[in-house]
Amino acid sequence: MKVIVNVKLKNGVLDPQGKAVKHALNSLGFDEVGNVRIGKQIVLDIAGDDKEKIKADTQKMCEELLANPVIEDFEIIL
Amino acid sequence: MKVIVNVKLKNGVLDPQGKAVKHALNSLGFDEVGNVRIGKQIVLDIAGDDKEKIKADTQKMCEELLANPVIEDFEIIL
């Protein structure tokens, strides 16, 4: 089963990478671009088809490795 | 308007970061995890409400800066 995990910085956490991209886009003439936030999208192939179990396991993977709970939020899409 | 751009490596392009995450998850006991691919999710605040124009501008932003057309594909979600 294909599982998508989107990891992004929590609101209020400074995103220097996003700021850099914003300034670059503005300097390329895309003045309409305001705030930019950059996160990770992780696509996992997970064996099995028990959605509840896979969601619970993916939650653990996020808490243990894929996301930093102090500064990041994550979203699991089955 | 909030625009989401998902940038990911093209199929066939080696993903060392994904491989490293896979091995780490397997060593944490998540043996059911097979292939792992890691991409970027960019969230842009863009002024205006003309969806067609914003989509066209975002396409240009991806081609000029946000994605490397040689090894990456991108998806624009309005």
Side-chain angles (χ1 to χ4, degrees):
Chain A
M1 183 179 298
K2 182 176 155 181
V3 178
I4 294 176
V5 174
N6 291 321
V7 179
K8 59 183 180 176
L9 289 170
K10 290 187 174 185
N11 289 334
V13 175
L14 191 66
D15 182 357
Q17 196 180 1
K19 278 209 185 315
V21 168
K22 173 193 167 5
H23 290 305
L25 288 172
N26 292 159
S27 61
L28 283 171
F30 299 107
D31 301 328
E32 68 277 23
V33 175
N35 201 28
V36 177
R37 305 281 287 178
I38 296 183
K40 286 176 290 199
Q41 182 170 78
I42 303 165
V43 180
L44 303 141
D45 283 340
I46 298 182
D49 47 23
D50 177 346
K51 279 198 168 189
E52 290 308 315
K53 182 179 183 311
I54 286 175
K55 181 137 191 180
D57 285 352
T58 306
Q59 176 84 19
K60 271 189 241 150
M61 292 179 214
C62 291
E63 287 159 2
E64 292 184 30
L65 182 77
L66 301 179
N68 175 346
V70 175
I71 60 168
E72 291 175 329
D73 288 325
F74 58 85
E75 170 195 24
I76 298 170
I77 303 166
L78 298 186
Chain B
M1 183 179 298
K2 182 176 155 183
V3 178
I4 294 175
V5 174
N6 291 320
V7 178
K8 57 183 179 177
L9 289 169
K10 290 186 174 184
N11 290 334
V13 175
L14 190 67
D15 182 358
Q17 196 180 2
K19 277 208 185 318
V21 168
K22 173 195 170 356
H23 289 306
L25 287 171
N26 292 160
S27 61
L28 283 171
F30 299 107
D31 301 328
E32 68 276 24
V33 174
N35 203 27
V36 177
R37 305 280 287 178
I38 297 184
K40 286 177 288 198
Q41 180 169 78
I42 304 164
V43 180
L44 303 140
D45 282 338
I46 298 183
D49 47 23
D50 176 346
K51 280 199 168 187
E52 289 309 314
K53 181 179 184 312
I54 286 175
K55 182 138 191 180
D57 285 351
T58 306
Q59 177 85 19
K60 271 189 246 154
M61 293 178 214
C62 291
E63 287 159 2
E64 292 183 29
L65 182 77
L66 301 179
N68 175 346
V70 176
I71 60 168
E72 291 175 330
D73 288 324
F74 58 85
E75 168 195 27
I76 298 170
I77 303 167
L78 299 185

